[in-house]
């Protein structure tokens, strides 16, 4: 079962690891695909550049033992790399919102992509949130 998640992943902390574990637990024989936000897309979405560039963030995610495949997201939009990954399920984090997430199911259906979208539970968000761990907005 191909399960896809999205994020910037400026650092990998226990909240992300729980996110990966939850995503992997959704179905049998999981293949976890992690989409790492492009620098330009993360800057547009968050209002500031990630602390680490996309190549470094991608390499860190690709090396993580819970991740089977790491891909860079699209510069603009998100459907082309989702279509290329062919996920059975897209798992969203508890705090992922905004234009793409809010319209995700509608956009997938319009593009003819058949996959289920689920929302995962938070894991100690008062502690494990990148912006809190960095002590400011650069997370």
């Amino acid at each position: 079962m191909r399960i896809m998640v999205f994020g910037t992943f400026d650092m990998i902390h226990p909240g992300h690891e729980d996110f990966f574990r939850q995503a992997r637990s959704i179905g049998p024989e999981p293949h976890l695909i992690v989409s790492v936000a492009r620098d330009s897309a993360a800057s547009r979405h968050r209002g500031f550049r990630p602390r680490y560039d996309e190549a470094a963030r991608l390499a860190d995610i690709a090396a993580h033992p819970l991740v089977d495949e790491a891909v860079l997201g699209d510069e603009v939009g998100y459907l082309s790399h989702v279509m290329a990954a062919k996920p059975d399920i897209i798992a969203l984090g508890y705090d992922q919102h905004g234009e793409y997430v809010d319209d995700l199911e509608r956009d997938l259906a319009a593009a003819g992509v058949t996959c289920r979208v689920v929302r995962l539970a938070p894991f100690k968000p008062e502690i494990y949130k990148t912006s809190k761990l960095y002590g400011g907005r650069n997370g």
Side-chain angles (χ1 to χ4, degrees):
M1 175 165 294
R2 296 174 64 79
I3 303 159
M4 189 171 203
V5 299
F6 306 88
T8 302
F9 306 108
D10 237 349
M11 67 183 321
I12 302 171
H13 54 67
H16 290 134
E17 292 177 337
D18 183 75
F19 179 55
F20 299 157
R21 278 191 290 277
Q22 282 187 60
R24 293 183 71 82
S25 74
I26 292 171
E29 299 181 38
H31 178 86
L32 182 61
I33 306 159
V34 178
S35 172
V36 176
R38 302 297 298 255
D39 291 341
S40 60
S43 295
R44 275 193 315 275
H45 177 71
R46 297 169 10 159
F48 54 91
R49 290 189 65 78
R51 186 173 288 222
Y52 299 101
D53 70 34
E54 61 192 38
R57 293 181 291 111
L58 181 68
D60 286 347
I61 289 294
H64 197 281
L66 292 172
V67 175
D68 297 301
E69 184 178 342
V71 298
L72 281 174
D74 296 323
E75 289 276 357
V76 176
Y78 61 92
L79 284 178
S80 64
H81 88 288
V82 170
M83 292 170 72
K86 297 181 174 69
D88 298 299
I89 295 173
I90 292 176
L92 299 173
Y94 75 96
D95 62 346
Q96 291 180 308
H97 299 284
E99 170 187 352
Y100 299 143
V101 174
D102 297 343
D103 298 334
L104 179 61
E105 290 179 279
R106 185 198 71 208
D107 292 348
L108 291 169
V113 177
T114 304
C115 72
R116 194 170 60 148
V117 177
V118 300
R119 180 75 68 172
L120 302 178
F123 176 76
K124 300 182 182 180
E126 69 283 359
I127 300 171
Y128 298 119
K129 192 151 177 68
T130 306
S131 57
K132 291 180 188 279
L133 293 169
Y134 274 142
R137 69 172 199 166
N138 289 329

